Amino acid sequence: MKDLLEYLAKSLVDNPNDVQVEMIEGERSVILQLKVNPVDIGKVIGKGGRIAQALRTLIKAAATKRGKNAIVEILD
Amino acid sequence: MREEKRDWYEFTGKSVEEALGKALEELGVEESQIEIEILEEPQKGFLGLGGKEARIKVILLAEGAVREKLEGGEAAARAQAPEETGGETKDSSEIETIVSRVLKLMDIEARVEAKEKADSFVVDVWGEDAALLIGKGGNTLEALQTLVNLCARRKISTGKKVIVDVEGYRKRRKARIEKQAQDKAKEALEKGKSELPAMTAAERKIVHVALRDFEGVRTESVGDEPERRVVIYAEKNKKTSVSRETETENQ
């Protein structure tokens, strides 16, 4: 899940080297914290949160496959 | 597109090998074409916290060839004119790589085939986890398509939309929406108005197109995303509808 979010985020932003993902894994849930360069924040959130929503949906599907619930936080 | 041309990239991974693997896959190069510099060795964290990934710097040696693939490849791809039915092009294989990569990272085993058509790229996915990948009401598939479109936009610049389909879901859904539209249009004729459930823009378009030639109704999208939906109105000639109402009142 971490690799997935990292790959997607890096593909979306102008500064892929500034993408950081921290994963906090619990027994049943996973929290993924995404940090990007401040100039790229719009690139991972999108108009009306459209991109952030898509990222969350896809990560949640990946987590479901592992029997977990995933929460994606975008830090600014 | 990338803002500046450069011939080195940074990659991370749980191990140096993994980072290298990513680099080779993403850049589409052989190990012999690059030079690797290890920026950081991986460090184990405690309980998955505080660990550090391996970071490597990959320098491209075969400048021309690789840069062309990343930045200049579109022109060459466009030169091979895609057939009407859609064919494999350099751009379509680039998109195939993106989708395969995403699915692999989701631990989903699937067969991916991308084709370039005159106005779009169509990616077909077949695999065991189709239901998971489609999601409730096609939610996950929509998310995948949104993200693949955004990722693809950076690698290719034809501006064509990428349509991702899983096990023919979109085709089946299209048929179902068309049927639903017909039923609702009949309902509108009886009741004066009917409403379809919330749909994506592409799905609403299917409804509008399906009912374009349906006598006596007009369609309109109302509401805000993601609750935007098509409303069907019975389109009576205003005069007749008024006179009919008057008639009813007079009775």
Side-chain angles (χ1 to χ4, degrees), chain B residues 193-196 218-222 229-233:
Chain B
K193 185 188 162 188
S194 67
E195 207 177 292
L196 284 143
R218 110 189 123 79
T219 56
E220 197 179 302
S221 294
V222 296
R229 60 194 63 219
V230 179
V231 177
I232 308 171
Y233 298 98

Side-chain angles (χ1 to χ4, degrees), chain B residues 34-238:
Chain B
I34 56 168
E35 203 175 281
I36 307 149
E37 195 179 303
I38 297 170
L39 299 173
E40 236 172 329
E41 291 279 354
Q43 281 165 28
K44 275 237 165 85
F46 181 64
L47 294 174
L49 285 171
K52 275 227 164 127
E53 292 209 306
R55 223 150 51 85
I56 60 167
K57 181 173 174 178
V58 175
I59 302 141
L60 302 180
L61 296 177
E63 272 199 356
V66 182
R67 201 176 270 169
E68 193 185 342
K69 185 176 164 68
L70 285 171
E71 284 145 355
E74 306 93 41
R78 249 172 284 140
Q80 337 166 346
E83 307 154 31
E84 265 304 299
T85 49
E88 281 171 37
T89 59
K90 196 164 185 171
D91 284 346
S92 77
S93 70
E94 192 79 61
I95 290 166
E96 203 171 285
T97 308
I98 295 171
V99 178
S100 301
R101 184 91 199 271
V102 170
L103 296 179
K104 199 173 162 227
L105 289 168
M106 290 178 80
D107 268 347
I108 288 175
E109 282 212 24
R111 196 152 53 85
V112 179
E113 193 183 286
K115 282 187 174 163
E116 179 167 2
K117 295 195 175 185
D119 60 344
S120 61
F121 292 96
V122 176
V123 186
D124 279 304
V125 178
W126 299 269
E128 281 178 4
D129 291 303
L132 177 83
L133 209 48
I134 291 166
K136 206 172 172 186
N139 263 342
T140 310
L141 183 55
E142 280 310 315
L144 176 66
Q145 180 169 300
T146 300
L147 294 169
V148 169
N149 269 284
L150 292 168
C151 295
R153 211 168 292 169
R154 296 195 153 250
K155 301 221 170 183
I156 57 171
S157 62
T158 56
K160 289 183 187 174
K161 194 170 160 54
V162 182
I163 297 162
V164 184
D165 201 356
V166 174
E167 304 257 349
Y169 173 81
R170 282 188 200 280
K171 280 178 212 115
R172 290 200 310 276
R173 178 136 173 99
K174 180 167 184 268
R176 206 161 64 224
I177 289 171
E178 281 166 349
K179 168 84 171 61
Q180 205 179 8
Q182 298 287 335
D183 292 347
K184 285 286 176 185
K186 283 171 200 156
E187 191 186 313
L189 283 181
E190 284 168 21
K191 297 181 183 169
K193 185 188 162 188
S194 67
E195 207 177 292
L196 284 143
M199 290 176 182
T200 63
E203 292 170 347
R204 292 195 304 269
K205 190 178 169 193
I206 296 172
V207 176
H208 293 306
V209 171
L211 297 180
R212 204 163 40 192
D213 296 326
F214 198 102
E215 282 287 324
V217 298
R218 110 189 123 79
T219 56
E220 197 179 302
S221 294
V222 296
D224 292 322
E225 299 282 7
E227 286 301 311
R228 202 161 162 80
R229 60 194 63 219
V230 179
V231 177
I232 308 171
Y233 298 98
E235 177 121 289
K236 285 165 196 151
N237 194 322
K238 262 213 171 113

Side-chain angles (χ1 to χ4, degrees), chain B residues 4-40:
Chain B
E4 51 170 6
K5 292 204 171 188
R6 45 176 197 173
D7 48 16
W8 61 269
Y9 298 87
E10 246 186 70
F11 286 88
T12 57
K14 285 195 197 74
S15 60
V16 172
E17 290 72 36
E18 192 188 284
L20 177 59
K22 283 183 191 173
L24 296 178
E25 194 178 337
E26 199 155 308
L27 300 174
V29 293
E30 307 278 4
E31 211 168 328
S32 59
Q33 292 173 277
I34 56 168
E35 203 175 281
I36 307 149
E37 195 179 303
I38 297 170
L39 299 173
E40 236 172 329

